[in-house]
C-alpha cells in the first residue's frame, strides 16, 4: 500500500513539473507576442493590458507620441472578450488534476485566433495597413485573453503568463520572508526568465526573419496544447490531490 502511494506521489510531482514547463512555454509565447505587437503593430501590447491602460491615459491626455486610440481599444476589447469566452469554457471543479482538460480546450481554441492572425499576416505579405494592424491586434488580444483566463483557473500563485509585475512581487516577498519552497521560487523565477526569452526571441525574429516572426507563438501554443493533451489528462480523485497523497504516506 505504501509503495502504491509513493508511486502516486511521484506521478503527481511529475505532473507539476510538466505543468510548470507548459506555463513557461506559454510565457515565452506571450513575451514574443508583446514584443512583436509593440514593435510592428503600432506600439500597443496584445497581452500586457497594464501597459495599454497607461497608453490610453496618455492618449486621453493628448500626448502626441501615444499609440492610436483605435489600436489600444482593439487590443483591450478583444482581450476582455477572450477572458469572457475562456472563463465560460473553463469551469473550476474539484478533483480535476493539476491541469484540467478544459484548460487545454480553452488554450486550444485560442489557436483559432493565432491561425487567423497568420493567415491575415501572410495575406498582407508582412506589411499590414493600419486598419489590418488593428484586426491583428484584436486577434492576438483575443488569444491572450483566453490564455490568461485559462491559466488563471490553475491558481498557481504569482503566475499569469501575460504579466510579470505580480510575479516579481511574489518572488521578492518569498525571498525576503523565506516563505516559499525551492520549487516555488524556481517556478516564479522561471516565468520571469521565460518572459525575457520570449521578448528577446520576438525581437530577433523581427530583425532577421520578419515574415516568419509571427509563427513562433503559434508553434509554441500548438506544442503546449499537444503536450497537455497527452501528458496532463485529467486524473482520478486519488491522484489529483498531492495533499491527500502525502497525508496517506504519513499515515503508513
Amino acid at each position: 500500500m505504501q509503495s502504491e502511494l509513493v508511486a502516486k506521489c511521484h506521478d503527481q510531482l511529475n505532473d507539476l513539473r510538466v505543468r510548470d514547463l507548459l506555463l513557461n512555454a506559454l510565457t515565452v509565447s506571450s513575451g514574443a507576442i508583446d514584443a512583436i505587437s509593440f514593435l510592428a503593430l503600432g506600439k500597443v501590447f496584445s497581452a500586457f493590458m497594464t501597459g495599454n491602460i497607461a497608453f490610453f491615459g496618455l492618449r486621453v491626455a493628448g500626448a502626441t507620441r501615444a499609440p492610436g486610440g483605435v489600436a489600444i481599444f482593439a487590443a483591450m476589447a478583444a482581450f476582455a472578450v477572450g477572458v469572457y469566452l475562456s472563463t465560460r469554457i473553463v469551469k473550476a471543479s474539484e478533483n480535476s488534476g493539476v491541469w484540467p482538460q478544459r484548460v487545454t480546450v480553452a488554450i486550444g481554441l485560442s489557436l483559432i485566433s493565432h491561425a487567423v492572425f497568420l493567415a491575415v499576416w501572410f495575406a498582407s505579405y508582412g506589411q499590414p495597413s493600419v486598419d489590418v494592424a488593428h484586426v491583428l491586434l484584436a486577434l492576438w488580444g483575443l488569444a491572450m485573453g483566453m490564455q490568461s483566463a485559462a491559466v488563471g483557473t490553475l491558481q498557481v500563485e504569482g503566475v499569469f503568463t501575460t504579466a510579470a509585475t505580480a510575479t516579481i512581487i511574489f518572488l521578492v516577498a518569498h525571498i525576503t520572508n523565506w516563505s516559499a519552497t525551492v520549487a516555488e521560487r524556481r517556478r516564479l523565477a522561471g516565468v520571469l526568465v521565460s518572459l525575457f526569452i520570449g521578448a528577446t526571441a520576438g525581437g530577433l525574429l523581427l530583425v532577421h526573419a520578419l515574415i516568419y516572426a509571427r509563427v513562433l507563438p503559434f508553434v509554441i501554443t500548438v506544442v503546449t496544447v499537444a503536450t497537455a493533451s497527452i501528458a496532463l489528462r485529467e486524473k482520478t480523485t486519488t491522484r489529483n490531490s498531492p495533499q491527500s497523497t502525502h497525508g496517506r504516506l504519513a499515515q503508513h
Side-chain angles (χ1 to χ4, degrees), residues 12-73:
Q12 183 72 28
L13 291 175
N14 284 338
D15 286 349
L16 291 173
R17 293 189 186 99
V18 173
R19 180 202 64 187
D20 290 349
L21 288 174
L22 296 183
L23 291 175
N24 287 341
L26 290 174
T27 306
V28 171
S29 174
S30 64
I33 282 175
D34 266 346
I36 295 168
S37 295
F38 186 81
L39 294 176
L41 296 177
K43 300 296 188 293
V44 174
F45 297 114
S46 293
F48 183 51
M49 291 299 111
T50 303
N52 286 343
I53 292 174
F55 291 153
F56 186 67
L58 292 174
R59 171 55 58 182
V60 172
T64 57
R65 296 187 179 181
V70 175
I72 297 171
F73 180 79

Side-chain angles (χ1 to χ4, degrees), residues 33 78 81-82 85 106-121 135-146 214 218 221:
I33 282 175
V81 172
L85 293 175
I107 297 176
L109 288 175
S110 76
L111 284 170
I112 297 174
S113 290
H114 282 285
V116 175
F117 182 105
L118 287 177
V120 174
W121 174 254
V135 174
L136 294 176
L137 283 169
L139 287 168
W140 257 356
L142 179 65
M144 289 297 93
M146 295 187 72
R214 280 73 172 172
F218 177 76
T221 307

Side-chain angles (χ1 to χ4, degrees), residues 7 72 77 90-92 99 111 120 152 180 199 225 238 246:
I72 297 171
V90 182
K91 297 179 181 179
W99 188 287
L111 284 170
V120 174
V225 170
T238 56
H246 286 296

